[in-house]
Amino acid sequence: MAIASISGSLVQGGNTDRLVNALLDLSFPVISPKLRRTALPVTGLVILLLACAWADAGGPSGPAPPAKSMAPTTSEKPKYLIFWSAPEKAGELAERVGMKGDGKTRILGFGLPNPTYELEEQLPGRIRSAFAAAREHDMAVMLHFDFHLAWKHRPDLWNWFDPARPGYDPNNKYNVEWHGWDGPPNKVHYLNHGVLERLPPNMCFTSKRTRAEVTRIVSKVIAPVLREEIAKLKAEGKEALFAGVLVGSEPSIDDYSKPNPELTKMMKEDGVPAGPLGYRALLDRGFRADNPPDDFRKALAKIIQETIAFWCEQFVDAGIPPEKLYPHVAAPAPIEMMNAPIWTAFNKYSRPGWTTYAVGVLGENFKAIYDELETHGNPAWAGVEANAGIPGSVVDWETYLAWHYNHGCVLVGVNMGATGTDLPRRLWDSAFGKEAIAAYHKFLTGQPLVEKPFFRDQPQFRIQAKMKRVRAGIERWHTRGKDPSAVGKLMEGAQPLANAGKLGELEKLVDQALEMLGETEKVPDVYRSVGEG
């Protein structure tokens, strides 16, 4: 079916199914007839059906595991499927997923995020409530404690610049990051988890005062209750229901050298200079303007690794086993933006843990993670923030889970939260879609998870994945009452390009359609290349 004959009427009339089938059909002239016949009735995830078609055509049924990537067998230990959700919704979560696992080797559970500084007085009660819900529903519980992002209620630690506001102390400048060897100290932290927002200043991870607060809160507020609740589970023979503790929230030392247009505007309004942060921490570690580190980014990464280790050490000193602790490093994020490469998740006080969205360096596989695991002896690990539906990801849910559990991962934490409205809805719909639920059932019943072939490097498959995103964008426009006919008009040029086999030009045209739909702006900036607008 030619797109020119339907572009205007279909998108105005809301018939997105016919539109997407026509769009998908464009790339099939360059695929073998057998594959074309198999893949024409595309209705689900494009990448999944293409993988099945390839296997039917005689191709490989699954990729060979990356070299030196297989971790030691951990089948006798519990493996967890965690959803970051409130304890009071544990029963609802179990109903949505449809099963809980066997309670010993495959366990469904929930994870409770805790902005540590913001809710210090409430932490004991929140911990007890979470464990009570775990016992009531026979589900695993995980706790998350943030130690650097949510500290707006602690101006006594960061307000060095405004005498008219609470907590003012000029010496607080040593608790925040600096923009240069002589300053100025930072006043505002920018974060994009779907919507760009302003937060209190970037914390200096080497600050003695902020580290002392971590030690105090962990040892005096969190650990006593946590030890008590773990002991109760053990006495009841349910110790496997404690999945562990997530320590930190993607710690980073930000670099504002190449801000995108939106961030540039904010920085100009706030008087924030463009450039890297991290000078205060480097000063604390003995570096100076006349004695800078040989590698600026590597030095900052080592400070992040040291900080993560310090945080985890406080829990170990307070009696929490290292095998129940996981840091939170953003594996797909560019080092140029966060100065937190994959290896910063390794320390002797915890297992490694990462955000594992299938974008960026993890877009086609997890080889970057497997390689680091190999160099550290293949310890058990966790994908603590995960969702196959993150914008830019084209992997199916079963393959995505297999990339985790087939390679030594013992815990996957499914995330549905973000700022704004579109991204949270997208993550939620993906996490509880039919494909995801089917993959969860395979994991929870102990069935093998199949890693399907990935063809992102072949233009025809890459284009079809983008066509799926065009469909999703058109459907979102219809939901909001917006008219996507201009996108259809643009796509009139697609059929001739497909017929001529001009895949490079065709892909550029589809990319333009995605830009018109706003789809390229939906990936949180932290998972993009630096400077990409």
Side-chain angles (χ1 to χ4, degrees), residues 391-425:
S393 170
V394 294
V395 67
D396 67 277
W397 266 99
E398 182 176 351
T399 298
Y400 183 62
L401 292 183
W403 287 357
H404 291 83
Y405 294 119
N406 289 1
H407 298 272
C409 177
V410 295
L411 185 150
V412 171
V414 181
N415 176 51
M416 296 85 71
T419 52
T421 56
D422 289 345
L423 185 54
R425 184 184 306 114

Side-chain angles (χ1 to χ4, degrees), residues 13 18-19 45 48-49 67 135 142 185 192 208 246 266 315 323 386 400 410-411 430 438 454 471 498 507 511 533:
R18 287 178 60 202
L19 173 60
L45 272 176
L48 172 60
L49 292 183
R135 286 192 291 270
M142 190 173 195
N192 190 330
K208 292 181 179 179
L246 178 57
M266 273 196 182
F315 283 93
E323 63 270 19
Y400 183 62
V410 295
L411 185 150
S430 177
F454 203 72
R471 174 188 180 176
E507 186 167 13
D511 286 339

Side-chain angles (χ1 to χ4, degrees), residues 1-4 22-31 459-460 463 467 487-513:
M1 184 186 295
I3 192 68
L23 293 176
L24 289 169
D25 195 43
L26 291 174
S27 59
F28 283 118
V30 295
I31 302 175
Q460 58 267 44
I463 290 169
M467 294 294 191
V487 179
K489 182 68 175 177
L490 171 69
M491 295 302 296
E492 290 179 5
Q495 184 70 56
L497 293 175
N499 289 342
K502 297 180 179 179
L503 299 188
E505 295 180 39
L506 175 59
E507 186 167 13
K508 289 180 181 179
L509 186 145
V510 177
D511 286 339
Q512 187 177 348

Side-chain angles (χ1 to χ4, degrees), residues 435-502:
E435 179 190 277
I437 296 297
Y440 303 155
H441 285 192
K442 289 193 72 173
F443 165 71
L444 290 170
T445 56
Q447 298 178 57
L449 295 169
V450 178
E451 299 179 50
K452 302 175 183 68
F454 203 72
F455 297 111
R456 194 168 186 169
D457 58 335
Q458 298 186 26
Q460 58 267 44
F461 295 100
R462 185 170 61 243
I463 290 169
Q464 290 179 59
K466 291 182 178 181
M467 294 294 191
K468 174 177 177 282
R469 293 171 58 198
V470 170
R471 174 188 180 176
I474 289 172
E475 290 176 340
R476 274 189 280 276
W477 275 36
H478 276 302
T479 300
R480 300 172 192 160
K482 297 177 67 175
D483 178 12
S485 59
V487 179
K489 182 68 175 177
L490 171 69
M491 295 302 296
E492 290 179 5
Q495 184 70 56
L497 293 175
N499 289 342
K502 297 180 179 179

